[in-house]
Amino acid sequence: MNHTVHLADDLSLTRMGYGAIQLAGPMAWGPPKDRDAAVAVLHEVVALGLTHIDTSDYYGPHTVNELIREALHPYPAGLHIVTKVGARRGPDKSWPAAITRDALISAVHDNLGHLDLPSLDLVNLRMTDTTAAADIVEPFTVLAELQREGLIKHLGVSNVSTEQVLAARQIAPVRSVQNFYNLAMRKDDALVDYCAAEGIAFVPFFPLGGFRPLQSDTLQQVADGLGHTPLQVAQAWLLQRSPTMLLIPGTSSVAHLRENVAAADIELPAEAVATLNAVGAAEAAAPWARH
């Protein structure tokens, strides 16, 4: 399971990556509680052979990117740092949208500076509270211009509708889609399949969250039967769901990081997959399910 997906000639990412958001303080705000432990996690990411670190300059803000630079710069060959723009942090720790031209240009330069990079490998544009195709055109065009200037190598999108993915692809190649998706929250099933068919990475955020008690019981029962932890089984299910599914579970613990990476070597039997698939079907049928 833990092989590499080739998204472009110069962009190959291990299917199991690492999301750096938990290296900041609570609510992704401020410095880490234990800086030495955070640096140790980043060193272990490289030692385990992961080539995919997901971050953003609005984690902290700034502190996570600065920590990545401190721990790993000069960056090992083959390591790709994926960043995200389209939001900022308010003084109340909120996450307001920031997709104006000036805001996006500033965000790209902030990521470049704090990571100490001449260009960013992959930048995801985060959209907020909109599914309309027209809304992504202007901000994605700005990023495409920065790509042509050499400040960005590849582009992706986050928190988007299928219509927005299609609109973005009319402007520039889309290498990745980051959306809310996990074993229970399956409204993007069709988009997952579309990305697989088009060779686009689908990177779920909250890959381990959103389980309700009944669904957690189902996951626990399957995990107990296989001798793995529920979180490992949930990640293994995601990796088997699509050949272009990439995971970026976050943690501030080396032990937990190793546990996550081990999930990439789990191959779920067909009966376990069928049982877990039913979790998503139950969610969709429930009156409180999100649509």
Side-chain angles (χ1 to χ4, degrees):
M1 282 295 170
N2 196 24
H3 65 272
T4 297
V5 172
H6 302 282
L7 300 174
D9 290 342
D10 59 345
L11 185 65
S12 297
L13 303 177
T14 45
R15 297 191 68 198
M16 181 64 76
Y18 172 68
I21 189 171
Q22 291 190 31
L23 295 185
M27 297 179 65
W29 187 269
K33 180 179 179 181
D34 186 333
R35 191 175 187 84
D36 290 341
V39 169
V41 167
L42 289 168
H43 286 161
E44 187 68 9
V45 166
V46 173
L48 290 170
L50 306 188
T51 66
H52 179 191
I53 295 178
D54 181 88
T55 184
S56 174
D57 210 52
Y58 56 72
Y59 295 165
H62 314 312
T63 55
V64 170
N65 278 356
E66 290 173 345
L67 188 69
I68 291 172
R69 183 193 68 224
E70 174 190 317
L72 301 179
H73 194 278
Y75 301 110
L79 178 66
H80 297 285
I81 300 176
V82 179
T83 54
K84 187 161 44 259
V85 298
R88 60 181 178 84
R89 301 304 301 276
D92 59 349
K93 303 181 184 179
S94 59
W95 307 73
I99 59 172
T100 65
R101 171 177 291 273
D102 288 347
L104 291 171
I105 292 173
S106 176
V108 167
H109 282 281
D110 284 345
N111 279 279
L112 287 167
H114 290 118
L115 290 168
D116 194 9
L117 286 168
S119 62
L120 301 172
D121 286 341
L122 173 60
V123 175
N124 289 303
L125 171 63
R126 178 186 188 268
M127 300 297 292
T128 304
D129 299 328
T130 173
T131 60
D135 292 339
I136 201 171
V137 171
E138 183 175 351
F140 200 75
T141 297
V142 173
L143 295 186
E145 291 171 0
L146 296 176
Q147 182 183 36
R148 289 193 292 271
E149 292 176 16
L151 298 180
I152 301 171
K153 294 178 182 177
H154 300 285
L155 298 174
V157 290
S158 176
N159 199 36
V160 290
S161 65
T162 300
E163 292 73 20
Q164 288 174 329
V165 175
L166 297 176
R169 294 190 76 193
Q170 296 299 310
I171 300 166
V174 172
R175 302 300 185 189
S176 68
V177 174
Q178 283 193 0
N179 271 13
F180 182 18
Y181 185 84
N182 57 40
L183 180 62
M185 304 304 291
R186 303 272 300 279
K187 68 182 182 66
D188 270 345
D189 267 340
L191 183 54
V192 170
D193 293 336
Y194 171 81
C195 287
E198 296 294 317
I200 299 169
F202 190 96
V203 188
F205 59 76
F206 300 142
L208 306 177
F211 298 117
R212 299 176 186 276
L214 176 63
Q215 294 149 356
S216 291
D217 289 344
T218 301
L219 179 60
Q220 184 71 58
Q221 291 166 7
V222 171
D224 288 345
L226 296 174
H228 301 298
T229 71
L231 297 186
Q232 286 179 318
V233 170
Q235 291 176 92
W237 179 87
L238 283 166
L239 290 172
Q240 286 184 225
R241 172 64 183 82
S242 164
T244 62
M245 186 80 70
L246 307 182
L247 302 188
I248 49 169
T251 180
S252 57
S253 158
V254 168
H256 190 198
L257 173 66
R258 292 171 179 163
E259 182 180 300
N260 287 338
V261 172
D265 293 323
I266 297 171
E267 185 169 357
L268 300 175
E271 58 270 23
V273 173
T275 300
L276 294 171
N277 284 347
V279 171
E283 172 80 9
W288 30 254
R290 292 182 56 181
H291 297 287

